[in-house]
Amino acid sequence: MKIRIKFRKFGEMKFIGHLDMMRYFQKAIRRAGIDICYSGGFSPHMIMSFASPLGVGLTSDGEYLDIEVGEVSSSADAVRRLNEVMAEGVEVVSFRKIPEGKASNAMALTAAADYEIRFRNGCAPKDGWQKDFDRFCASDSIQVIKKSKKGERETDIRPLIYRIERQEDTIFMQVAAGSVRNLKPELVMEAFAAFAGITFPESAFLIHRLEIYGDAGTKDKRQLISLEALGEVI
Amino acid sequence: MRKLALDDTVLLKIEKPARYIGNEINAVQKDKSRIEVRFCMCFPDLYEIGMSHLGIQILYDMFNRREDVWCERVYSPWVDLDRILREKQIPLFALESQDPVKDFDFLGITLQYEMCYTNVLQILDLSGIPLFADRRGEEDPIVIGGGPCACNPEPLADFFDLFYIGEGETSYYALIDAYKEHKNAGGSRQEFLIKAAQIPGIYVPSLYEVIYNPDGTIASMNPKALYVPSRVKRQAVSDLTHTFYPEKPLVPFIKVTQDRVVLEIQRGCIRGCRFCQAGMLYRPTRERDLEMLKESAEKMLKATGHEEISLSSLSSSDYSKLPELTEFLLENFGSNGVNISLPSLRIDAFSLDVMSKVQDIRKSSLTFAPEAGSQRLRDVINKGLTEEVILRGAGSAFEGGWNKVKLYFMLGLPTETEEDQKSIAWLAEKIARRYYEIPKEQRTGKCQITVSTSFFVPKPFTPFQWAGMCTREEFLERAHTVNMEIKEQLNRRSIRYNWHEADVTVLEGVFARGDRRLSGLLLKAYEKGCLFDSWTENFHNERWMEAFAETKTDLSFYTARVRTQDEIFPWDFIDSGVTKKFLYREWEKALEGTVTPNCRRQCQGCGAGRYQSGVCLLEAHQI
């Protein structure tokens, strides 16, 4: 049976990188006594995959991993058992059954993500940046220089930003995520800095991921559904 | 929620911030308002190394079982954070509470190898604790050292208030109780030190005076105060089954060197190899009960979620219930994706059978530690491994599908000749030939024999404590001889050779048998920036050599000199159970090339019998 686990990552756990979170969950699942399935061979490993890596320093309310299990009692029981063995700073939100097959993998489905961005204390630019930001949000194209192995090239990231807005000093954005098209919120903020002619100090932002979505729509029209909603409670 | 000692901007700038935030699974949090004694336990090396150490896990659990004590941890900040702490004047902090180390009652530092000594100074320095014990005031923590290097604590004598000599399980509670009493009575630091000196196993270096002969050797070492014992008794647990052992070991977030459950099956070793300090120091050999180990393995795997369990001991094959234990582990956990690792195994039919069940033969390699190339020299060091046994073990392994062999040797052993050195190459060649005796269609490609040599360092409390040590040049010459001889062999393409650094080895030799006059050298080296000396990229031999010159320290006095029978050693004030008389007898037998049977076969009256435990009881019973 395939299972999708949704969890929150907050507080000090933001310093734990993606690979270490994978190791963390492998051990946590053993501690919780979840009947997870292993691959064959001489060094069997747990069947487990994460939707989208979260960078060091970022917090989140919507992280996902998919696992394959043998027997389970109920979603509620599994959530309780997992939360009993979590470190402070990780909380399991849901444990749901998802359809079989590769197409339903969280990693393959990931299409977009929501982020909330605030300035760290003392890192906000001079007042007045808000107006600049609203103008930035209204622009039709946002050119940035993307560095890759082949060199630098200019691209327009505006089509990858699905929603962007500001409420007082908090910024919200919904951007493309996943293996096909992916946009990091940091890059959007860099583009804003260039637009407004300002520079931010090192680690100036508190970035919080709110949710990850799959796309149930067509090529022409997006229809985003949270990865959690694609599973059913057992 | 607790507040971290470092703010986000610092933590996001440094390598692996998880080293400094604590909060690991099974880390202990307590309400500090209800705590009477705060103990900060330190492993003076990088987090990944320190977190892999079993001893701290045992002591951490032991202390935290007491409601009046809170034991926390600290490790050496890596060079990136070291720089920031100094720049911003942030005091070093403990992981659990994130409180400054300076606020603790005790700072306990484990001394696992000599090359961590500059890191000890870093810990004190960054904590804001005066480096020299005699400059510390009433508000400073009591700094206590322990671990294997505490069996000759003298090079660090000036920097520590106390040393704990021997195994931690026996006397720490008494020390804590004495401290509480002292604190409640409002006594002075000096009064506490004198009281502590009366607890078995506790050594207070400042309460002893050392007088030297004109030639630099020790004339006498005497207590300076009343009630201070002239000799300190090494502590050993008499019953390893009914004592402290963690049920919920700490589980780090980042990958550490030993990322697994460690099950210590026994302490001590019956073999009596003459170069081996652990084998002499942890006598008598004491086994843990099989049922206790089964229960303990189960609890620890459940509480950690680790995917691997490793048996720990100096010589696992000598554990009397090893087949039962491995069978239990394989049966109960093998199917749950739990790996079982069995280091320090003798290669024989049993171990090959177990290994073929727990590891991938194609990837794993066999390890032999003949330590010396020739049978003559193996007799000198009392390593009871013969060429016949090695070839037989390798042969059955090759037939079982293995094709990788690792061989460990030492160079610079007492009485070693050029022939002994070349024998290393010849032994490797014989093993390679044994492999190619197997019909071609049954072989899996070429065999890979990796020969590694380390340089021999004479250690206190071993029969070789009287021996002279090679110079850097002699060491390198010997490695060169081995290297050239390997290149002469028919199967040289199947043999790879690595040798250790000679510079670091020489320094180890200085501190291993050093005295308390070395504190100036150590401080000078630290001031010159020596830190993390066991990390090749951080080791600066030229700084050390400058420190020797500037402090007028004669390196060869500590290393090259062969000691006479009547010399008083800096560590002689420790009564380790094993007598100096026995060790000297073994030294003489070594020079004759006479072997000594192991403890199970025949008691040699080494002196460890006074602990009335383990193999010593067994023998008495049988005789």
Side-chain angles (χ1 to χ4, degrees):
Chain A
M1 189 192 313
K2 286 186 77 170
I3 296 288
R4 176 158 302 149
I5 295 173
K6 179 180 188 178
F7 68 93
R8 296 176 57 223
K9 186 179 175 191
F10 54 94
E12 293 150 18
M13 289 302 286
K14 72 178 168 197
F15 297 110
I16 310 301
H18 175 64
L19 290 176
D20 292 324
M21 280 310 284
M22 293 172 64
R23 282 168 21 85
Y24 167 83
F25 265 100
Q26 285 164 6
K27 293 182 198 285
I29 280 169
R30 273 210 198 81
R31 288 194 298 273
I34 303 285
D35 181 24
I36 192 164
C37 301
Y38 291 84
S39 69
F42 237 107
S43 43
H45 57 269
M46 287 184 177
I47 299 178
M48 172 189 283
S49 66
F50 280 66
S52 169
L54 186 70
V56 173
L58 277 65
T59 53
S60 175
D61 279 342
E63 291 303 291
Y64 292 95
L65 70 144
D66 292 352
I67 59 173
E68 200 156 325
V69 299
E71 270 178 55
V72 272
S73 50
S74 70
S75 293
D77 180 54
V79 168
R80 183 187 55 78
R81 273 158 63 182
L82 281 164
N83 279 329
E84 274 171 10
V85 299
M86 287 293 118
E88 193 180 313
V90 192
E91 185 197 342
V92 171
V93 179
S94 70
F95 185 98
R96 294 184 176 186
K97 187 181 167 188
I98 51 167
E100 297 294 319
K102 274 206 168 135
S104 63
N105 273 349
M107 205 194 296
L109 285 174
T110 297
D114 288 346
Y115 293 94
E116 185 189 86
I117 299 165
R118 285 175 299 129
F119 289 101
R120 197 179 294 284
N121 267 348
C123 291
K126 281 202 305 267
D127 244 5
W129 69 268
Q130 293 87 344
K131 271 192 186 155
D132 287 339
F133 191 81
D134 295 344
R135 281 198 297 121
F136 173 72
C137 293
S139 22
D140 291 334
S141 93
I142 300 173
Q143 299 292 329
V144 298
I145 294 176
K146 267 198 171 174
K147 284 177 195 155
S148 71
K149 281 175 199 158
K150 288 173 193 158
E152 293 180 355
R153 68 192 166 87
E154 217 181 39
T155 46
D156 182 9
I157 58 167
R158 191 64 185 92
L160 302 183
I161 304 174
Y162 302 153
R163 275 171 61 196
I164 184 162
E165 62 203 41
R166 176 188 64 80
Q167 263 189 0
E168 308 214 325
D169 287 353
T170 303
I171 293 160
F172 169 85
M173 62 180 81
Q174 185 170 75
V175 295
S179 46
V180 188
R181 298 191 300 172
N182 193 65
L183 182 61
K184 285 187 172 179
E186 294 93 325
L187 192 66
V188 180
M189 294 310 289
E190 260 175 54
F192 167 58
F195 175 87
I198 49 179
T199 46
F200 293 120
E202 236 180 303
S203 47
F205 316 108
L206 294 164
I207 305 176
H208 183 67
R209 181 142 76 186
L210 295 163
E211 186 57 275
I212 301 176
Y213 301 95
D215 187 355
T218 59
K219 231 179 177 180
D220 308 313
K221 192 164 167 36
R222 269 192 311 274
Q223 192 198 337
L224 299 180
I225 304 178
S226 79
L227 291 179
E228 182 184 28
L230 293 165
E232 54 175 294
V233 175
I234 42 174
Chain B
M1 218 166 79
R2 62 196 183 126
K3 191 181 174 310
L4 295 180
L6 302 172
D7 62 34
D8 284 15
T9 48
V10 171
L11 284 164
L12 291 172
K13 204 155 45 183
I14 56 178
E15 219 179 275
K16 303 202 182 163
R19 289 168 178 161
Y20 312 107
I21 62 172
N23 190 34
E24 301 96 329
I25 297 295
N26 299 329
V28 177
Q29 290 294 341
K30 292 190 178 186
D31 173 1
K32 65 183 170 195
S33 66
R34 303 170 75 170
I35 296 300
E36 289 183 69
V37 180
R38 296 187 70 183
F39 197 108
C40 186
M41 189 62 85
C42 169
F43 191 109
D45 206 325
L46 195 62
Y47 178 87
E48 287 91 321
I49 308 293
M51 276 296 278
S52 307
H53 182 240
L54 174 66
I56 286 193
Q57 297 257 16
I58 294 177
L59 296 178
Y60 184 77
D61 168 72
M62 180 188 85
F63 280 125
N64 281 322
R65 286 188 195 200
R66 282 180 68 139
E67 279 184 12
D68 54 348
V69 181
W70 186 9
C71 178
E72 306 185 34
R73 295 160 296 136
V74 67
Y75 304 95
S76 305
W78 187 241
V79 288
D80 55 353
L81 182 61
D82 175 282
R83 206 173 308 125
I84 294 172
L85 293 181
R86 286 172 205 270
E87 235 172 61
K88 303 197 171 200
Q89 300 193 345
I90 302 169
L92 187 64
F93 52 91
L95 295 187
E96 280 77 359
S97 64
Q98 300 275 312
D99 287 340
V101 172
K102 200 180 189 315
D103 296 347
F104 280 67
D105 296 292
F106 284 93
L107 168 60
I109 305 180
T110 182
L111 305 166
Q112 296 290 320
Y113 28 84
E114 291 82 6
M115 297 322 288
C116 74
Y117 290 178
T118 51
N119 283 42
V120 170
L121 299 190
Q122 178 213 29
I123 294 284
L124 294 171
D125 198 5
L126 292 178
S127 300
I129 298 169
L131 298 184
F132 285 95
D134 62 7
R135 313 258 166 86
R136 287 179 201 140
E138 299 295 333
E139 294 306 309
D140 288 310
I142 302 286
V143 181
I144 179 165
C149 289
C151 80
N152 176 22
E154 287 302 274
L156 293 169
D158 292 345
F159 305 114
F160 280 81
D161 299 298
L162 310 174
F163 287 100
Y164 187 114
I165 312 294
E167 296 169 359
E169 290 99 332
T170 63
S171 276
Y172 260 126
Y173 275 14
L175 183 70
I176 297 289
D177 290 337
Y179 179 79
K180 267 172 68 177
E181 200 182 303
H182 143 83
K183 204 173 156 186
N184 293 335
S188 72
R189 192 180 183 93
Q190 186 63 19
E191 282 162 359
F192 172 67
L193 295 183
I194 292 179
K195 261 187 208 152
Q198 294 162 55
I199 297 170
I202 303 295
Y203 167 55
V204 187
S206 62
L207 296 179
Y208 294 79
E209 184 183 30
V210 184
I211 297 165
Y212 299 92
N213 292 314
D215 67 0
T217 57
I218 293 173
S220 69
M221 178 166 173
N222 298 306
K224 288 198 282 194
L226 215 59
Y227 309 120
V228 176
S230 58
R231 296 194 80 199
V232 179
K233 276 204 164 91
R234 175 181 67 95
Q235 297 301 293
V237 179
S238 54
D239 179 354
L240 275 177
T241 301
H242 302 98
T243 180
F244 305 99
Y245 203 79
E247 290 177 355
K248 295 178 171 182
L250 289 149
V251 186
F253 292 117
I254 54 174
K255 196 159 173 53
V256 300
T257 315
Q258 181 101 250
D259 181 33
R260 51 185 75 90
V261 165
V262 181
L263 191 64
E264 188 194 36
I265 57 177
Q266 61 185 357
R267 266 182 216 170
C269 178
I270 56 170
R271 301 278 148 188
C273 299
R274 292 179 178 130
F275 56 85
C276 180
Q277 189 181 44
M280 294 291 164
L281 212 51
Y282 300 135
R283 289 183 171 216
T285 303
R286 290 146 294 156
E287 296 193 341
R288 290 190 203 266
D289 176 67
L290 178 65
E291 292 310 311
M292 176 251 174
L293 292 175
K294 287 181 181 174
E295 211 176 289
S296 177
E298 197 149 14
K299 280 184 184 160
M300 290 194 293
L301 283 167
K302 177 100 187 82
T304 57
H306 278 313
E307 48 281 277
E308 188 169 345
I309 181 166
S310 172
L311 303 187
S312 162
S313 81
L314 293 169
S315 167
S316 299
S317 298
D318 291 327
Y319 179 64
S320 62
K321 303 267 172 30
L322 189 65
E324 291 91 329
L325 182 60
T326 46
E327 196 182 323
F328 170 84
L329 295 175
L330 274 169
E331 223 163 78
N332 288 276
F333 311 116
S335 55
N336 297 340
V338 174
N339 251 315
I340 295 154
S341 98
L342 304 153
S344 345
L345 266 195
R346 237 190 340 267
I347 305 298
D348 55 21
F350 165 75
S351 60
L352 289 175
D353 178 52
V354 174
M355 284 194 293
S356 67
K357 284 179 192 153
V358 300
Q359 18 176 262
D360 187 345
I361 293 175
R362 283 162 304 162
K363 287 184 195 149
S364 63
S365 60
L366 294 168
T367 305
F368 292 95
E371 307 294 359
S374 70
Q375 193 57 48
R376 187 200 73 79
L377 195 52
R378 281 195 294 273
D379 288 346
V380 169
I381 63 176
N382 204 41
K383 181 86 195 183
L385 187 61
T386 63
E387 189 168 298
E388 195 198 331
V389 170
I390 296 168
L391 290 176
R392 203 191 312 135
S396 26
F398 292 151
E399 274 152 16
W402 275 274
N403 64 357
K404 294 189 192 81
V405 175
K406 283 186 197 158
L407 297 170
Y408 290 106
F409 298 94
M410 278 185 289
L411 280 175
L413 288 162
T415 77
E416 183 182 284
T417 63
E418 201 176 310
E419 167 126 352
D420 295 320
Q421 293 149 29
K422 288 183 176 170
S423 300
I424 291 174
W426 301 337
L427 182 58
E429 170 68 15
K430 281 178 198 155
I431 294 172
R433 287 192 188 180
R434 178 68 187 79
Y435 180 77
Y436 294 108
E437 276 170 19
I438 296 173
K440 200 169 184 181
E441 57 281 6
Q442 289 168 34
R443 300 198 300 245
T444 42
K446 267 173 49 174
C447 73
Q448 275 177 43
I449 297 172
T450 310
V451 173
S452 300
T453 59
S454 60
F455 297 121
F456 170 64
V457 178
K459 296 271 173 135
F461 294 106
T462 67
F464 291 166
Q465 61 182 350
W466 285 275
M469 182 175 150
C470 291
T471 62
R472 174 185 184 276
E473 290 70 28
E474 284 167 337
F475 276 139
L476 293 174
E477 203 183 291
R478 288 172 194 220
H480 181 71
T481 304
V482 176
N483 199 17
M484 294 316 283
E485 192 62 20
I486 285 176
K487 287 187 178 152
E488 293 292 313
Q489 303 305 307
L490 193 67
N491 288 300
R492 57 188 173 273
R493 283 164 192 278
S494 301
I495 307 172
R496 227 185 319 176
Y497 178 47
N498 314 309
W499 63 92
H500 277 208
E501 295 269 341
D503 293 330
V504 180
T505 308
V506 169
L507 283 178
E508 269 173 39
V510 171
F511 286 107
R513 291 188 291 174
D515 55 40
R516 51 172 72 186
R517 290 170 299 183
L518 288 179
S519 58
L521 169 76
L522 191 58
L523 180 65
K524 184 64 93 182
Y526 173 69
E527 285 170 351
K528 286 180 177 292
C530 293
L531 194 64
F532 287 104
D533 293 303
S534 56
W535 296 74
T536 316
E537 70 267 38
N538 286 305
F539 179 69
H540 300 287
N541 197 50
E542 71 291 347
R543 293 183 192 166
W544 274 102
M545 292 305 120
E546 283 167 28
F548 273 97
E550 287 168 33
T551 57
K552 297 193 173 61
T553 307
D554 177 10
L555 192 150
S556 67
F557 173 80
Y558 295 100
T559 53
R561 206 162 50 84
V562 179
R563 276 69 163 167
T564 58
Q565 184 176 2
D566 56 356
E567 177 165 339
I568 297 173
F569 296 133
W571 53 93
D572 276 354
F573 73 91
I574 293 172
D575 174 6
S576 86
V578 175
T579 61
K580 201 172 177 181
K581 213 166 113 193
F582 164 77
L583 293 174
Y584 197 78
R585 202 158 71 222
E586 281 292 298
W587 172 228
E588 288 178 314
K589 282 171 84 177
L591 296 176
E592 292 162 9
T594 310
V595 297
T596 296
N598 75 50
C599 297
R600 279 203 188 121
R601 203 166 283 171
Q602 191 187 55
C603 175
Q604 300 297 310
C606 72
R610 77 130 188 261
Y611 290 99
Q612 286 293 302
S613 59
V615 70
C616 300
L617 292 183
L618 212 75
E619 289 311 296
H621 182 69
Q622 280 172 359
I623 297 161

